[in-house]
Amino acid sequence: MTHRRTTQVTRAPQTPGLPPVPQARVADVQRLVIDWFSRNARPLPWREPDASAWSILVCEVMSQQTPVARVLPRWREWMRRWPSPADLAAAPPSDVLIAWDSLGYPRRALRLQETAAAIADRHGNQVPHEEDRLLALPGVGAYTAAAVASFAYGRRAVVLDVNVRRVLGRVFAAVEHRPASLTAAEKRWAGALVPAREHVEWNAGAMELGALICTARNPDCDSCPLADACAWVAAGKPSDPTVVRRTQAWAGTDRQLRGAIMKVLRTAHDELATSDEEQAVSISTHLLTAPTAELTADDAEALARLSEPIRKAIAAVRDLDADGTRTARLIDDLVRDGLASRSSTGIRLP
DNA sequence: TGTCCACGTCT
DNA sequence: AAGACGTGGAC
């Protein structure tokens, strides 16, 4: 501990629920996080010094909503195939969606390709440095723009994801969670905590701490470098009764069924793309949407000609919607949103 | 086995 | 500005 006066506070604006923080505490916490990160950072490829800004942007978009372990193999494949934005912009969307695999939220893949085209066309194939220009790219919001500015270009940015918000909230405000929506006031408050130097290490370290130690459910405070400095620990780790954990409905939702339809299209395209014929990669809409009772012997033969993975993917769709009416409607939506396209013989990836 | 969880962007 | 958006692994 420093022996500076602990009554000295930052110039952070007064923010409801977010206390002013003594400067000395801030300096201690910054040092602890940065030192911890230097010893405990996972050796991820996008953290290598030679990682391109493009590779970092791709990683950040993939990592939205998705754990590192699932991102890693797809990110490697993407970087091998599309090492620059222009490479991705030139790829067929079907290849992009297949390479996205089951990362989830396939719209992110399409937006990433739109972003690649924008960078190739308007930014000389170079990922922009400025947060406001990054923010203008499709699929890039406040978090991703700040993360790229910080991690790819070393700019002093306020990187606030749910991990950082949770760590800062616990350490400085003794609260278990932050409310769902990120306000401008909270961003200003957090911005006052970003050090003038080593801000990249601070940003990355706070995220890493939130991901590995200061987790939402079972924080490993025994291993935490901030345990002695943590207001939440000092307060006895109070749980916040106002926090309602949202449990998204999943079973029976359109999202679930859409995912199953997309899996059919990916599987079919991947396995059947041996010729240029539309027919080869299309799946008869009828096989997906006909009520089970109306499937004919011809339909059964058509199914039998397909490979087992495709049949299983189709069966998954039919299990979720034996009636076929929802499937038909969702296929319309997918086509409208550019995730699928119609051909003379059925439905396929765009 | 299922239930819970992750949590940024867009509209 | 609350809700939609996908998936698989942890518990």
Side-chain angles (χ1 to χ4, degrees):
Chain A
M1 279 295 275
T2 161
H3 38 265
R4 257 181 293 178
R5 287 164 42 218
T6 54
T7 51
Q8 183 185 5
V9 299
T10 67
R11 279 179 288 179
Q14 294 294 317
T15 307
L18 299 169
V21 181
Q23 191 64 61
R25 282 201 63 214
V26 175
D28 283 343
V29 169
Q30 288 168 343
R31 175 50 47 206
L32 288 165
V33 168
I34 291 165
D35 286 351
W36 175 85
F37 185 66
S38 71
R39 283 178 275 108
N40 294 279
R42 289 169 292 181
L44 300 169
W46 45 81
R47 288 179 174 162
E48 295 295 318
D50 63 344
S52 68
W54 168 241
S55 77
I56 290 169
L57 173 56
V58 171
C59 155
E60 291 299 341
V61 172
M62 286 183 171
S63 300
Q64 295 165 2
Q65 321 283 311
T66 309
V68 163
R70 238 192 295 169
V71 166
L72 254 175
R74 282 74 172 209
W75 179 86
R76 291 188 201 283
E77 168 81 358
W78 275 55
M79 289 304 105
R80 183 183 66 72
R81 295 175 69 174
W82 304 305
S84 89
D87 300 316
L88 181 64
S94 54
D95 283 5
V96 175
L97 288 167
I98 290 170
W100 191 256
D101 195 17
S102 53
L103 281 176
Y105 299 111
R107 284 167 179 74
R108 288 186 294 163
L110 296 185
R111 294 207 183 108
L112 197 42
Q113 191 175 33
E114 293 165 21
T115 274
I119 293 172
D121 293 345
R122 301 206 298 271
H123 297 286
N125 210 25
Q126 301 299 314
V127 175
H129 292 60
E130 302 82 4
E131 269 187 83
D132 58 342
R133 292 190 180 198
L134 288 161
L135 212 42
L137 298 168
V140 176
Y143 162 75
T144 304
V148 171
S150 178
F151 303 142
Y153 294 122
R155 297 211 161 190
R156 185 176 175 283
V158 186
V159 180
L160 275 185
D161 73 346
V162 73
N163 289 318
V164 177
R165 297 176 72 206
R166 183 176 57 247
V167 170
L168 298 183
R170 282 176 175 166
V171 172
F172 291 120
V175 296
E176 183 185 17
H177 297 279
R178 297 248 45 94
S181 61
L182 172 63
T183 62
E186 186 186 342
K187 185 151 185 175
R188 271 182 267 120
W189 178 79
L193 304 173
V194 178
R197 304 180 195 187
E198 298 183 282
H199 37 77
V200 175
E201 292 79 3
W202 164 257
N203 284 329
M207 283 183 63
E208 191 83 335
L209 199 54
L212 299 181
I213 304 287
C214 191
T215 56
R217 273 187 303 172
N218 298 311
D220 184 9
C221 299
D222 291 343
S223 308
C224 182
L226 302 180
D228 292 341
C230 181
W232 185 61
V233 168
K237 304 188 192 180
S239 61
D240 183 344
T242 68
V243 172
V244 180
R245 298 183 194 278
R246 24 175 179 167
T247 62
Q248 292 179 325
W250 174 248
T253 61
D254 286 353
R255 302 167 70 185
Q256 180 190 33
L257 181 53
R258 248 192 311 267
I261 297 168
M262 287 301 295
K263 181 160 187 172
V264 171
L265 302 188
R266 283 199 310 269
T267 307
H269 205 104
D270 225 8
E271 296 206 1
L272 302 179
T274 53
S275 78
D276 293 331
E277 293 179 50
E278 284 284 319
Q279 193 172 340
V281 295
S282 291
I283 291 295
S284 159
T285 312
H286 177 73
L287 291 180
L288 291 168
T289 61
T292 302
E294 297 178 15
L295 285 179
T296 65
D298 284 351
D299 295 332
E301 278 182 34
L303 277 170
R305 284 194 294 272
L306 297 169
S307 73
E308 164 149 23
I310 300 175
R311 287 202 312 271
K312 285 182 72 169
I314 291 173
V317 171
R318 303 197 60 89
D319 283 348
L320 293 169
D321 179 37
D323 175 57
T325 53
R326 283 174 65 219
T327 302
R329 176 170 58 79
L330 294 181
I331 286 174
D332 288 344
D333 293 347
L334 290 172
V335 170
R336 185 199 60 213
D337 294 345
L339 287 159
S341 69
R342 295 188 191 283
S343 73
S344 55
T345 55
I347 184 92
R348 49 166 295 172
L349 289 182

